[in-house]
Every structure is written in structure tokens, then in C-alpha cells.
Amino acid sequence: GGSAMAAVRDVEIDPEGTFKYILVRLQRPGGAEQRHIVRGTKAAEFHNHIFEKLNPEMEKLGYECKCIGGGKIDHNNKDKKIRVFGLSTGYGKADHSVTVDILKKVYTDYEITWSDDKK
């Protein structure tokens, strides 16, 4: 049922700073149920590092993972602002508007914006 999918958090990003992020689609093999999640961290030098860590974790839970793009997140927790921008050379540009919708579910009291700017 929905419990395993609920166990996967919508967003896991660093609490502060500017870092790479990826937008990932999860689905059950052969299933219609799917959802999107956001993952980002300063620890990742490249976008694929985030995916390579996430993918085996999701496979264990029985999900197929597809990275549908990336970019950068600037997370200012002091001013409660998140800016989504940039792109991934390997995965292409994520649909930042989708990313923002997901972030808004978690960071409800933040001002969250996006742009196609590179920096």
C-alpha cells in the first residue's frame, strides 16, 4: 500500500547553503502510482553522485527511480528563502516549478522562487 511510499520523504536537502539537486520520479515497476522527490546536498560534487546514492536505497524499497533533471538550490534558512535555478549537464534542467511545488509542501513558511538563471 501507500506506507512504503510514505516512508520516502518528499524532500531531503541540506539545511543551508547552495548545492546541486535532482528531481527524481519514483514508481512501482509496472505500477501507475508515481511521485516526485527532491534530493540535494553540498556533499555531491556532481548531480549523478546524488542519484547513485539514492537509487539503491529506492530499489531496496521496490521502486524504480528516474532522474528527470537537476539544478541548484540556494537555501537560506535564516531568511526562510529557497531559490531554485541552474541545470544539470548530465540530466538536463529539471522542471523547477515542479521542484518548487514539492518544496512548498515541506517548507510551508518559506518564500520559494525559481528561475532559469545559471547562477
Side-chain angles (χ1 to χ4, degrees):
S3 57
M5 212 172 231
V8 178
R9 288 195 297 221
D10 288 321
V11 177
E12 285 181 20
I13 59 171
D14 285 1
E16 178 68 45
T18 303
F19 43 85
K20 292 183 167 69
Y21 93 89
I22 57 172
L23 182 62
V24 175
R25 187 176 67 219
L26 293 186
Q27 62 186 67
R28 289 278 185 221
E33 187 193 14
Q34 59 174 45
R35 63 182 271 214
H36 294 86
I37 60 172
V38 173
R39 294 292 183 270
T41 177
K42 277 189 280 238
E45 193 184 344
F46 300 105
H47 287 91
N48 61 307
H49 291 172
I50 308 173
F51 188 74
E52 283 161 11
K53 188 174 170 296
L54 176 72
N55 197 33
E57 294 171 10
M58 294 302 114
E59 282 181 343
K60 272 192 214 118
L61 295 170
Y63 293 111
E64 288 173 348
C65 254
K66 184 173 167 50
C67 181
I68 52 174
K72 283 186 164 174
I73 285 176
D74 180 27
H75 187 176
N76 179 339
N77 65 16
K78 187 169 65 71
D79 296 338
K80 291 195 186 302
K81 286 184 178 172
I82 294 177
R83 187 169 69 95
V84 183
F85 64 102
L87 53 82
S88 160
T89 40
Y91 295 119
K93 186 177 80 68
D95 184 339
H96 295 326
S97 65
V98 172
T99 303
V100 166
D101 286 342
I102 297 167
L103 290 168
K104 280 179 174 165
K105 288 199 278 189
V106 178
Y107 295 93
T108 50
D109 55 346
Y110 269 62
E111 181 191 322
I112 305 176
T113 58
W114 68 272
S115 76
D116 289 328
D117 297 346
K118 299 285 185 281
K119 342 185 149 330

